[in-house]
Amino acid sequence: MGKINFGSWQIRLRLLVLTFLGLAIALTINFPFWVAAQTPSGNTASNSIEQSTQSPTQINVPPPIRPVNGNELRGIWLTNVDSDVLLSKQSLHKAIKRLKRLNFNTLYPTVWNGGYTLYPSQVAKNSFGVEIEPLPELQSRDMLAEAIEFGHEQNFAVIPWFEYGLMTEEGSELMRQHPEWATRRRDGSQVFVHGEKEQHRLVWLNPTRPEVQKLLIDLIVEVVSKYDIDGIQLDDHFGMPAELGYDDYTIALYKKDHFGRLPPEDFKDPEWMSWRSRFLTTLMRKISKAVRAIKPNCLISLSPNPKDFSYIKYLQDWYSWVYLGYVDELIVQVYRDDIDNFKRELERPELQEIRHKIPVAVGILTGLRIQNVDMRQIKGQVKLARELTLDGFSFFFYETLGNRDASFETLFLTPAPRPDLRNIASVGS
């Protein structure tokens, strides 16, 4: 062999590549692996960092589609289910100060849950006679006004979350006043039972009915008009389970559009699914138009399930909504224990494509009342979302942060501004 010429361009190129890979690996380590997590017992998920997380040299990381400018959505959902955070002014104030210390930047407080508003609502009072959810802790106060005041004092974006969407409790006053607004399965049933004690009996409002559309639009318009908010959020419940739509009202509409033919018996029939889905798209268009007419800079955030599941399960065609301009921010709920499944969802082509248009973040499960999530799993998912250069994450939900502040501090070492449409650098297709 001849003498190696280290001045050759081939060798220089190799050295440059090796140097770049070394820097990339160093930059993606966001926290030390030896940090002790304050983890509740119960969940021993197999997808901890030590067992499953791959290095950037093993992951097919797409190139960043925007400048590395430090923007990152760091959101948290605040709910009144299995959580006391919204149930007193003192608890809410304390929580927001804590989240500021942990370097979060976005609050999603629920304002519509179980068929009731969690703020004083004239729309709700006029529609079904109850101004605010009948919890003693919510009376004689305006929880949303408090969340906005405390949140803005700490430089949070405050985005009210219409958590129940088109879903409501069977026993709510809304259903007692307007039972005809609910839609049904083909066998005439309408209740979906949830909860370990089957304590939640849920029904779905019919999006084909003008009265239902008016209620949702009016509630959102009320919040946008009355409060100094940064946006509004809908989620997977702003849809309709695919087995529904066999109520008399919807059947009559379908027959009118189909020369008297009844809807297919198979609720998965493609045309029948598409026909019902269009009513949700129409409602989304009306909401978007109404919000932008009042407050053009008010973000419309959506937190759905992954694309195919959203449509097949809930007739929710959010992919089209993004391209129609109805959505400004997407937080896809990817509640997976297996890190490979989690990664697979984040690499879906539609997410990579949509990120050229709007911020795309991931919803990460931090626990449920009956399920602990290991801190190693949370950290592994945050790390992977960063490696794939998503725009951030939101955690579900506040109460399940638990006594793990030291661990969450390692995720958000410094403050960061949230991404939005104004600081995404789109590139050509």
Side-chain angles (χ1 to χ4, degrees):
M1 290 178 65
K3 184 178 179 181
I4 296 174
N5 179 10
F6 284 93
S8 68
W9 68 268
Q10 293 98 334
I11 298 300
R12 289 183 179 180
L13 180 60
R14 286 193 178 191
L15 290 172
L16 181 62
V17 170
L18 288 172
T19 301
F20 173 78
L21 287 175
L23 286 171
I25 291 170
L27 287 171
T28 53
I29 298 175
N30 299 298
F31 47 85
F33 286 83
W34 45 261
V35 171
Q38 301 175 29
T39 307
S41 62
N43 187 343
T44 55
S46 63
N47 58 324
S48 65
I49 295 173
E50 292 82 356
Q51 292 170 315
S52 299
T53 301
Q54 298 173 311
S55 72
T57 57
Q58 295 170 299
I59 295 175
N60 182 23
V61 182
I65 61 170
R66 60 184 57 80
V68 181
N69 54 15
N71 297 323
E72 186 171 74
L73 194 158
R74 300 171 178 178
I76 189 83
W77 280 292
L78 310 176
T79 181
N80 63 323
V81 177
D82 299 330
S83 178
D84 295 332
V85 65
L86 302 178
L87 299 186
S88 80
K89 187 174 183 178
Q90 293 73 21
S91 294
L92 186 56
H93 196 197
K94 182 179 178 181
I96 291 173
K97 290 178 70 175
R98 175 196 183 193
L99 291 167
K100 178 66 174 180
R101 189 180 72 253
L102 294 177
N103 289 323
F104 282 80
N105 58 28
T106 306
L107 307 175
Y108 299 101
T110 185
V111 292
W112 172 243
N113 185 298
Y116 298 97
T117 58
L118 276 72
Y119 65 94
S121 170
Q122 192 62 43
V123 170
K125 185 175 182 180
N126 293 343
S127 180
F128 51 89
V130 181
E131 184 180 42
I132 193 169
E133 183 163 1
L135 289 172
E137 297 88 347
L138 292 175
Q139 309 309 307
S140 302
R141 57 185 284 247
D142 188 334
M143 178 278 297
L144 180 54
E146 294 166 6
I148 294 166
E149 178 188 354
F150 299 151
H152 284 173
E153 283 177 356
Q154 302 293 337
N155 296 316
F156 280 92
V158 182
I159 299 179
W161 168 36
F162 288 80
E163 181 179 5
Y164 262 52
L166 287 160
M167 188 172 70
T168 183
E169 295 279 352
E170 179 190 33
S172 67
E173 189 61 30
L174 171 58
M175 277 296 93
R176 283 195 284 268
Q177 293 288 330
H178 304 290
E180 73 282 3
W181 287 9
T183 183
R184 297 179 177 273
R185 300 182 184 90
R186 185 167 165 268
D187 64 5
S189 63
Q190 63 184 51
V191 176
F192 291 74
V193 180
H194 293 279
E196 72 276 13
K197 298 179 181 178
E198 299 187 347
Q199 68 271 33
H200 296 296
R201 295 178 57 82
L202 305 170
V203 298
W204 292 77
L205 300 173
N206 185 355
T208 70
R209 296 190 72 106
E211 312 97 303
V212 169
Q213 294 197 20
K214 185 177 187 305
L215 173 63
L216 264 292
I217 294 168
D218 287 352
L219 286 172
I220 291 171
V221 164
E222 179 179 55
V223 167
V224 173
S225 303
K226 183 178 176 182
Y227 296 94
D228 180 24
I229 58 172
D230 300 283
I232 60 102
Q233 186 182 73
L234 299 163
D235 65 12
D236 53 316
H237 298 141
F238 185 72
M240 180 176 75
E243 59 262 45
L244 299 177
Y246 291 92
D247 57 277
D248 291 343
Y249 186 90
T250 305
I251 289 173
L253 277 181
Y254 185 86
K255 288 172 68 176
K256 184 178 179 181
D257 282 356
H258 294 80
F259 306 102
R261 285 185 293 141
L262 288 170
E265 294 184 358
D266 180 8
F267 66 81
K268 296 179 182 178
D269 177 86
E271 192 278 332
W272 173 223
M273 290 181 68
S274 175
W275 184 86
R276 287 172 293 161
S277 177
R278 286 197 293 270
F279 286 93
L280 294 169
T281 297
T282 296
L283 178 52
M284 191 67 201
R285 174 179 58 80
K286 291 178 179 178
I287 289 171
S288 173
K289 183 178 179 181
V291 168
R292 300 189 199 290
I294 301 165
K295 195 175 291 184
N297 291 328
C298 183
L299 288 173
I300 298 177
S301 176
L302 185 70
S303 181
N305 295 127
K307 175 177 173 283
D308 292 342
F309 185 88
S310 286
Y311 184 75
I312 293 169
K313 181 69 176 177
Y314 292 114
L315 305 174
Q316 191 182 51
D317 185 15
W318 58 254
Y319 179 80
S320 295
W321 299 353
V322 171
Y323 276 89
L324 289 167
Y326 304 158
V327 178
D328 302 315
E329 169 185 282
L330 191 72
I331 307 173
V332 182
Q333 298 176 35
V334 186
Y335 299 156
R336 304 286 187 275
D337 287 337
D338 183 88
I339 198 72
D340 293 326
N341 288 337
F342 182 83
K343 176 176 180 284
R344 193 175 300 116
E345 290 295 344
L346 299 196
E347 291 180 326
R348 295 284 300 176
E350 62 268 15
L351 292 189
Q352 303 304 319
E353 178 188 330
I354 283 172
R355 290 173 58 220
H356 292 266
K357 296 183 67 65
I358 62 173
V360 175
V362 57
I364 293 177
L365 183 68
T366 48
L368 299 170
R369 182 172 60 82
I370 58 173
Q371 176 186 348
N372 294 323
V373 174
D374 194 290
M375 195 69 207
R376 292 171 298 174
Q377 174 175 310
I378 298 167
K379 288 185 173 184
Q381 293 182 349
V382 167
K383 182 174 184 287
L384 187 55
R386 283 171 169 162
E387 288 174 350
L388 296 176
T389 67
L390 265 71
D391 291 296
F393 8 80
S394 187
F395 294 145
F396 185 82
F397 56 100
Y398 175 78
E399 210 75 11
T400 59
L401 296 182
N403 297 316
R404 301 186 282 185
D405 285 18
S407 294
F408 281 101
E409 284 172 354
T410 67
L411 295 179
F412 307 143
L413 294 176
T414 59
R418 72 189 313 279
D420 60 33
L421 293 170
R422 291 172 290 281
N423 57 35
I424 281 186
S426 297
V427 298
S429 57

